[in-house]
Amino acid sequence: MVEGIEGTVSHKEPTFIVLKTNGGVSYGISVSLFCSAHLEKGQKTELFTTMIVKEDSQRLYGFLDKNEQKMFELLLKVNGIGATTAMAVCSSLDTNSFYAALHSGNEEAFKKVAGIGPKSAKRIIIELGDAKIALESTDEGKAQALQALLSLGFKQDRALKALSECKASSTSELIKEALKKLS
């Protein structure tokens, strides 16, 4: 898996760049409009990447900001949302607007994105609009602890309540403390 690429922008389009590495290899990378606005041809940069491998293609998606990458990857988990639509959301909404729209249930913000209608907007809000998103956007340790508790079979509302009462700061200590509260 390609986690990141460092190189020089050798070609730039509104949502696609070619990044040439020091080793001489050039990578075609899809980017959001926000990311593209911060890149210039000839500029040296480093991008976080998400690689999607399908039966007939391999595509790289690049991000200057780790939060935008998380947003993209969360959107891919929504039923019916593919990489093209997820990138369209990343191009239309910055991460703060995205999380605000999720938490307020603002379907109109999502319907403004090309390729998202009323049903998809509702699906995004329903599937991603819970408290898990708030944890992932603010505290990585609590987000990982939540995922661990969910994988152990605890219900999300109980796990979130237990984690909110925990005082520990490391992921492993959060899990231990939450397990004590849940038992």
Side-chain angles (χ1 to χ4, degrees):
M1 183 70 76
V2 180
E3 293 291 325
I5 298 177
E6 183 178 330
T8 304
V9 179
S10 61
H11 176 77
K12 180 183 169 192
E13 295 176 16
T15 59
F16 182 80
I17 64 164
V18 175
L19 202 63
K20 186 172 185 172
T21 64
N22 289 338
V25 178
S26 293
Y27 292 93
I29 306 170
S30 296
V31 296
S32 70
L33 291 173
F34 292 123
C35 181
S36 181
H38 290 93
L39 299 174
E40 296 297 326
K41 191 173 177 180
Q43 175 184 353
K44 187 171 182 170
T45 190
E46 182 175 3
L47 296 176
F48 299 105
T49 59
T50 298
M51 184 175 194
I52 298 180
V53 178
K54 293 185 178 178
E55 189 175 295
D56 59 343
S57 68
Q58 294 181 14
R59 305 255 347 213
L60 277 175
Y61 297 86
F63 310 91
L64 286 169
D65 180 23
K66 192 74 170 161
N67 290 325
E68 185 181 32
Q69 182 185 28
K70 279 185 181 181
M71 181 172 97
F72 176 79
E73 291 173 353
L74 280 171
L75 285 162
L76 291 177
K77 293 178 183 178
V78 176
N79 187 25
I81 302 294
T84 303
T85 305
M87 194 54 80
V89 173
C90 291
S91 292
S92 301
L93 299 170
D94 63 24
T95 54
N96 292 332
S97 300
F98 173 76
Y99 288 117
L102 277 180
H103 291 297
S104 67
N106 184 357
E107 289 179 33
E108 294 303 314
F110 293 109
K111 288 195 286 187
K112 291 178 183 175
V113 177
I116 295 185
K119 288 181 184 177
S120 294
K122 283 180 185 175
R123 194 176 309 116
I124 289 169
I125 291 168
I126 290 169
E127 291 186 30
L128 299 179
D130 56 17
K132 180 174 105 174
I133 302 299
L135 282 176
E136 287 184 354
S137 67
T138 58
D139 186 346
E140 190 67 33
K142 282 192 177 183
Q144 290 175 356
L146 175 62
Q147 288 303 319
L149 293 171
L150 293 176
S151 68
L152 290 172
F154 290 100
K155 297 286 183 199
Q156 184 168 315
D157 56 340
R158 287 189 64 218
L160 284 169
K161 185 174 188 268
L163 284 172
S164 69
E165 297 169 0
C166 292
K167 306 268 189 267
S169 57
S170 73
T171 303
S172 60
E173 292 299 318
L174 279 167
I175 294 169
K176 288 177 190 175
E177 192 176 336
L179 286 172
K180 286 178 185 175
K181 291 180 185 305
L182 290 166
S183 59

